[in-house]
Amino acid sequence: MKKVFNIIFLILFLSTTGCGFTPILVKSNYSFSYIIEKSTGSERVNSNIVEKLKTLNGKEKIYSIALNSKETKNILSKDSKGDPNILEIVINLNYIIKDSGKILVKKNLTRRSTYNNISDKFELEKSEDILVENLTRDLAQDIISSTSEISNDN
């Protein structure tokens, strides 16, 4: 069984490294960067997004961005005892990108993820942190993509 797993892993590894795959955020040849003008709402969400946006170091254009986020944890279903069974994390992000005081992009994004409750609360918290990290990575990529579109139009 272990040999089969190793062979499958080797095939997947070779196929992804040989095809020229590079993660989008690693591609750091963007010609723009950001100045964080304002950041309100969920500190955890905002700090994750800001961390990802700060990796851009383009010199041609510097955009100012204002972030307003909200992180919500919902109970989707309960077991027969009334304890939460399936949970959901929802992140709402409103952002405004400006250039010289002129609003270029104003968007409202929502990302959500569902997960099962875990009896070990430490593991549940670690799992939630990973989910928030993944969702904020997607949000940061959406911000970069929308900026890239307007940057290419100019």
Side-chain angles (χ1 to χ4, degrees):
M1 181 68 180
K2 189 174 181 178
K3 285 185 179 182
V4 172
F5 176 74
N6 287 340
I7 291 171
I8 291 172
F9 178 75
L10 181 64
I11 290 170
L12 287 174
F13 178 74
L14 291 176
S15 66
T16 57
T17 57
C19 70
F21 171 78
T22 55
I24 294 173
L25 285 177
V26 170
K27 178 186 162 194
S28 60
N29 61 352
Y30 294 105
S31 61
F32 56 86
S33 58
Y34 298 98
I35 293 176
I36 309 304
E37 183 179 289
K38 188 176 176 184
S39 176
T40 58
S42 171
E43 187 175 324
R44 174 166 75 162
V45 170
N46 289 343
S47 65
N48 283 344
I49 291 172
V50 167
E51 178 183 314
K52 286 164 185 50
L53 295 180
K54 294 257 183 199
T55 61
L56 301 176
N57 53 6
K59 303 286 188 233
E60 286 183 32
K61 202 71 167 160
I62 299 175
Y63 297 104
S64 63
I65 186 167
L67 303 171
N68 181 15
S69 65
K70 181 181 178 186
E71 179 183 346
T72 310
K73 186 173 162 181
N74 300 322
I75 299 171
L76 297 182
S77 73
K78 296 181 180 184
D79 61 12
S80 58
K81 297 179 197 174
D83 295 329
N85 194 18
I86 299 176
L87 303 166
E88 174 185 54
I89 288 183
V90 180
I91 298 176
N92 292 311
L93 175 69
N94 296 313
Y95 69 94
I96 299 172
I97 298 174
K98 296 180 184 178
D99 182 22
S100 303
K102 179 184 171 193
I103 296 176
L104 301 176
V105 177
K106 185 176 184 179
K107 285 193 177 178
N108 181 13
L109 302 174
T110 301
R111 295 290 179 269
R112 62 185 69 229
S113 183
T114 58
Y115 57 101
N116 292 328
N117 194 9
I118 304 171
S119 59
D120 183 356
K121 297 307 173 196
F122 179 72
E123 287 297 320
L124 179 64
E125 188 174 326
K126 283 183 11 184
S127 176
E128 288 173 351
D129 288 342
I130 291 169
L131 288 173
V132 168
E133 176 72 25
N134 291 339
L135 293 172
T136 54
R137 183 188 62 232
D138 292 344
L139 290 167
Q141 185 55 47
D142 286 345
I143 293 170
I144 293 168
S145 295
S146 66
T147 308
S148 183
E149 288 173 14
I150 61 168
S151 184
N152 290 338
D153 289 344
N154 294 338

